């Protein structure tokens, strides 16, 4: 992703981009789930969507289904689009709550297009609706085979002048005065010099940590899971891919299911203090849609972040920057936003302290807010069936999250601060989905004109019903839009 985005700089500049990779170093190799800003990343690169989805065995995604998180048997959708839309200056959840108190029994989910499309397993893009401008848009992202997508971007970057070098880095040279990285030495003896280095070396943090000793901030006191096991499998029941990711809570963690065109990506994220690796694998094997097609891939991680993401002339992306478990599909998003900030701050005449400070401040704030959202899923539970969930229900949470929950409980208010990733709908969906009641509403909702407002509310539900009724099954849409390529 970094090489593909930066390769656009070669149009009209003398920038040289070298990618050091080794086929001998494995990757996580799982199905990846994304969120809507990733669609914009591909548009920025002018990538043909259908071509990319075909190459990566990808599918569309309108949200995430959470099963067993509030309590056993519960299920809810965290959708990508908003609940309704703002009415006369009042956001929709407050209008909905007003009518709910007055006896209207419609759940808030019927006022969200993506939730209803997910419920019926349907999908269509906004431009497929026709010419009516009174219909809600479809907000979507993708499920991808990460290895295939990386191969696709490699071709994109190389066509635009990025040069790939095969080999492992065996030595890193630092400038004696500035401490900047100057040269990499590969196992074949080749040396590569550069002005700016982007560390995408995963948990190892080859440059950002091993060479520059940046340090790491451990967040396991807030997010306790520290291991995962991943496995792909076919869908043996013959069903097509659903247009959403599924996260199912188990006794000591949770399981992801990412539906690609011809298979599911699966994994079990868990806490080693409460379950063994063998038992975690057994749990995963007992909840697959088909027979595994590969050996299990066990991963160990420490949730948290580097103390600096940009240190001297090294910028860390992906797992080299930190780890946030994939509960809300933010892994690729953090790579995406890291690249966006890097390009925005880039100065081809050199690295400045102001660049480094701005990048670290903005990225640190982004990580903290995503952390709070992940912690919400664990802390907002009423499960008492295991020691793990008893711990999650009673563990201390960040003050910033506690304040958000208290505001929602008191008057239903959610403030989206500055450039925060998650919307009011995102926070409300998880809170209400896991049993935190909306305790009131904005008093301005009580001043809205009647019966005009009620007609508008009814129209929102009717337009969503109309759109979803016109949508084809997601699998049928996908087969027509981008037929799968042979494995």
């Amino acid at each position: 992703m970094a090489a593909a985005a930066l390769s656009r700089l070669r149009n009209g500049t003398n920038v040289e981009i070298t990618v050091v990779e080794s086929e001998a170093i494995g990757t996580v190799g799982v199905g990846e789930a994304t969120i809507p800003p990733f669609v914009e990343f591909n548009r920025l690169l002018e990538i043909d969507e259908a071509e990319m989805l075909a190459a990566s065995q990808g599918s569309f995604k309108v949200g995430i289904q959470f099963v067993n998180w509030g309590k056993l048997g519960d299920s809810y959708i965290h959708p990508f689009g908003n609940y309704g839309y703002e009415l006369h200056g009042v956001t929709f959840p407050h209008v909905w709550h007003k009518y709910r108190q007055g006896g209207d029994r419609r759940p808030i989910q019927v006022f969200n297009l993506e939730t209803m499309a997910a419920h019926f397993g349907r999908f269509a893009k906004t431009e497929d609706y026709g010419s009516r401008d009174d219909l809600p848009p479809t907000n979507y992202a993708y499920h991808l085979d990460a290895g295939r997508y990386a191969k696709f971007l490699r071709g994109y970057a190389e066509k635009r002048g990025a040069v790939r070098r095969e080999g492992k880095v065996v030595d890193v040279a630092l400038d004696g005065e500035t401490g900047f990285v100057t040269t990499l030495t590969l196992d074949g003896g080749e040396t590569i010099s550069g002005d700016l280095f982007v560390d995408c070396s995963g948990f190892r943090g080859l440059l950002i940590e091993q060479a520059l000793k940046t340090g790491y901030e451990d967040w396991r006191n807030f997010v306790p899971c520290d291991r995962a096991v991943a496995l792909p499998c076919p869908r043996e029941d013959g069903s097509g891919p659903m247009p959403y990711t599924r996260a199912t809570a188990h006794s000591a963690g949770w399981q992801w299911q990412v539906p690609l065109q011809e298979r599911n990506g699966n994994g079990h994220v868990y806490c080693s203090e409460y379950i063994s690796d063998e038992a975690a694998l057994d749990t995963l094997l007992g909840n697959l849609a088909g027979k595994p097609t590969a050996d299990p891939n066990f991963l160990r991680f420490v949730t948290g972040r580097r103390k600096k993401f940009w240190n001297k002339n090294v910028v860390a992306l992906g797992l080299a920057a930190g780890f946030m478990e994939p509960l809300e599909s933010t892994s690729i998003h953090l790579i995406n936003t890291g690249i966006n900030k890097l390009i925005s701050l880039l100065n081809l005449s050199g690295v400045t302290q102001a660049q480094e400070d701005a990048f670290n401040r903005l990225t640190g704030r982004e990580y903290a807010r995503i952390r709070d959202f992940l912690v919400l899923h664990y802390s907002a539970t009423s499960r008492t069936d295991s020691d793990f969930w008893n711990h999650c229900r009673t563990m201390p949470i960040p003050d910033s999250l506690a304040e958000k929950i208290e505001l929602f409980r008191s008057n239903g208010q959610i403030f989206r601060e500055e450039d925060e990733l998650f919307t009011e709908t995102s926070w409300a969906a998880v809170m209400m989905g896991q049993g935190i009641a909306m305790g009131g509403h904005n008093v301005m909702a009580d001043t809205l004109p009647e019966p005009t407002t009620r007609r508008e509310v009814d129209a929102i539900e009717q337009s969503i019903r109309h759109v979803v009724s016109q949508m084809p099954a997601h699998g049928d849409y996908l087969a027509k839009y981008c037929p799968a390529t042979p494995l």
Side-chain angles (χ1 to χ4, degrees):
M1 287 176 66
L6 290 169
S7 68
R8 298 175 70 237
L9 292 172
R10 289 184 50 80
N11 184 17
T13 72
N14 61 354
V15 170
E16 295 182 3
I17 300 167
T18 303
V19 182
V20 178
E21 279 189 306
S22 173
E23 296 288 355
I25 298 176
T27 63
V28 175
V30 300
E32 286 279 4
T34 65
I35 55 180
F38 183 70
V39 177
E40 294 304 316
F41 175 81
N42 286 272
R43 288 175 180 165
L44 177 69
L45 300 187
E46 299 180 341
I47 286 173
D48 181 89
E49 184 179 70
E51 180 185 353
M52 181 275 292
L53 288 173
S56 63
Q57 289 278 298
S59 63
F60 291 101
K61 171 185 175 181
V62 295
I64 306 169
Q65 181 189 44
F66 289 92
V67 179
N68 295 339
W69 284 83
K71 60 180 183 291
L72 288 170
D74 279 358
S75 176
Y76 70 92
I77 295 286
H78 167 199
F80 287 151
N82 291 328
Y83 291 133
Y85 52 78
E86 190 175 280
L87 295 173
H88 310 283
V90 181
T91 54
F92 186 81
H94 294 272
V95 180
W96 169 80
H97 187 269
K98 166 193 171 180
Y99 287 120
R100 186 79 169 177
Q101 285 191 320
D104 190 327
R105 306 321 299 168
R106 286 175 291 184
I108 198 169
Q109 289 80 8
V110 304
F111 299 102
N112 178 268
L113 173 67
E114 291 78 15
T115 298
M116 300 311 294
H119 179 76
F120 290 104
R122 298 179 177 183
F123 180 81
K125 297 201 295 181
T126 304
E127 55 265 35
D128 300 316
Y129 301 170
S131 58
R132 286 180 57 181
D133 60 4
D134 62 324
L135 300 178
T138 304
N139 297 278
Y140 68 89
Y142 312 116
H143 301 113
L144 305 167
D145 181 309
R148 284 174 169 265
Y149 180 66
K151 184 178 179 181
F152 179 85
L153 288 187
R154 173 182 169 182
Y156 176 100
E158 288 182 327
K159 286 178 183 177
R160 287 156 180 80
V163 176
R164 183 184 183 278
R165 292 284 183 259
E166 168 67 30
K168 295 182 180 180
V169 175
V170 294
D171 187 55
V172 180
L174 305 180
D175 183 271
E177 291 186 11
T178 65
F180 279 29
V181 174
T182 57
T183 306
L184 308 180
T185 301
L186 307 189
D187 52 1
E190 181 182 5
T191 60
I192 298 174
S193 60
D195 300 302
L196 181 73
F197 292 82
V198 182
D199 188 344
C200 303
S201 62
F203 292 126
R204 296 173 63 202
L206 185 64
L207 304 183
I208 196 72
E209 190 60 46
Q210 293 188 23
L212 297 183
K213 312 298 182 187
T214 301
Y216 196 81
E217 193 171 310
D218 187 334
W219 284 345
R220 281 177 293 184
N221 58 320
F222 292 131
V223 187
C225 291
D226 59 358
R227 296 190 186 180
V229 56
L231 276 175
C233 76
R235 289 182 293 274
E236 293 181 347
D237 61 1
S239 64
M242 298 303 290
Y244 53 85
T245 309
R246 177 177 291 149
T248 303
H250 293 309
S251 63
W254 61 278
Q255 176 181 337
W256 77 75
Q257 179 178 286
V258 175
L260 304 174
Q261 289 185 28
E262 300 296 333
R263 65 175 176 86
N264 285 346
N266 311 279
H268 184 190
V269 178
Y270 57 97
C271 181
S272 61
E273 184 178 344
Y274 296 96
I275 191 172
S276 68
D277 292 345
E278 294 77 13
L281 176 59
D282 287 344
T283 297
L284 178 61
L285 290 171
N287 291 277
L288 296 181
K291 186 177 180 180
T293 55
D295 293 330
N297 183 11
F298 284 92
L299 308 166
R300 297 188 179 193
F301 53 82
V302 175
T303 298
R305 45 154 290 194
R306 299 291 172 200
K307 292 183 177 178
K308 289 184 178 181
F309 306 93
W310 185 327
N311 190 359
K312 301 186 185 299
N313 65 333
V314 173
V315 177
L317 294 177
L319 299 179
F323 182 82
M324 306 287 276
E325 63 180 60
L327 184 58
E328 284 285 353
S329 307
T330 53
S331 298
I332 286 185
H333 174 75
L334 286 167
I335 299 171
N336 183 2
T337 57
I339 292 168
N340 290 345
K341 286 192 284 286
L342 171 59
I343 290 175
S344 297
L345 291 166
L346 200 59
N347 183 342
L348 298 184
S349 63
V351 174
T352 69
Q353 191 63 47
Q355 289 172 309
E356 181 181 330
D357 291 346
F359 189 94
N360 288 329
R361 183 181 69 257
L362 295 170
T363 307
R365 190 167 63 195
E366 182 176 32
Y367 267 72
R369 287 174 177 165
I370 291 174
R371 175 204 64 193
D372 285 2
F373 195 58
L374 299 185
V375 173
L376 172 64
H377 296 68
Y378 288 100
S379 63
T381 184
S382 59
R383 288 185 59 165
T384 59
D385 56 290
S386 72
D387 290 340
F388 173 78
W389 288 107
N390 286 334
H391 166 75
C392 292
R393 194 183 66 256
T394 59
M395 68 182 179
I397 63 175
D399 292 342
S400 49
L401 173 59
E403 179 185 271
K404 252 191 169 70
I405 293 173
E406 180 56 32
L407 285 172
F408 189 75
R409 279 181 170 146
S410 62
N411 70 346
Q413 192 58 260
I414 294 170
F415 291 104
R416 189 180 185 187
E417 301 178 25
E418 298 175 358
D419 56 350
E420 182 177 351
L421 169 62
F422 294 108
T423 65
E424 179 178 349
T425 289
S426 295
W427 285 96
V430 177
M431 288 192 197
M432 291 193 287
Q434 294 190 204
I436 298 177
M438 187 174 178
H441 56 257
N442 187 330
V443 295
M444 294 301 294
D446 296 324
T447 71
L448 300 181
E450 292 289 355
T452 306
T453 303
R454 183 172 289 278
R455 286 198 299 267
E456 290 181 273
V457 169
D458 292 343
I460 291 172
E461 182 192 9
Q462 290 162 11
S463 64
I464 289 171
R465 286 180 179 272
H466 170 76
V467 170
V468 174
S469 71
Q470 302 301 308
M471 287 179 169
H474 174 235
D476 294 340
Y477 185 93
L478 197 60
K480 183 177 180 181
Y481 186 70
C482 54
T485 54
L487 292 175

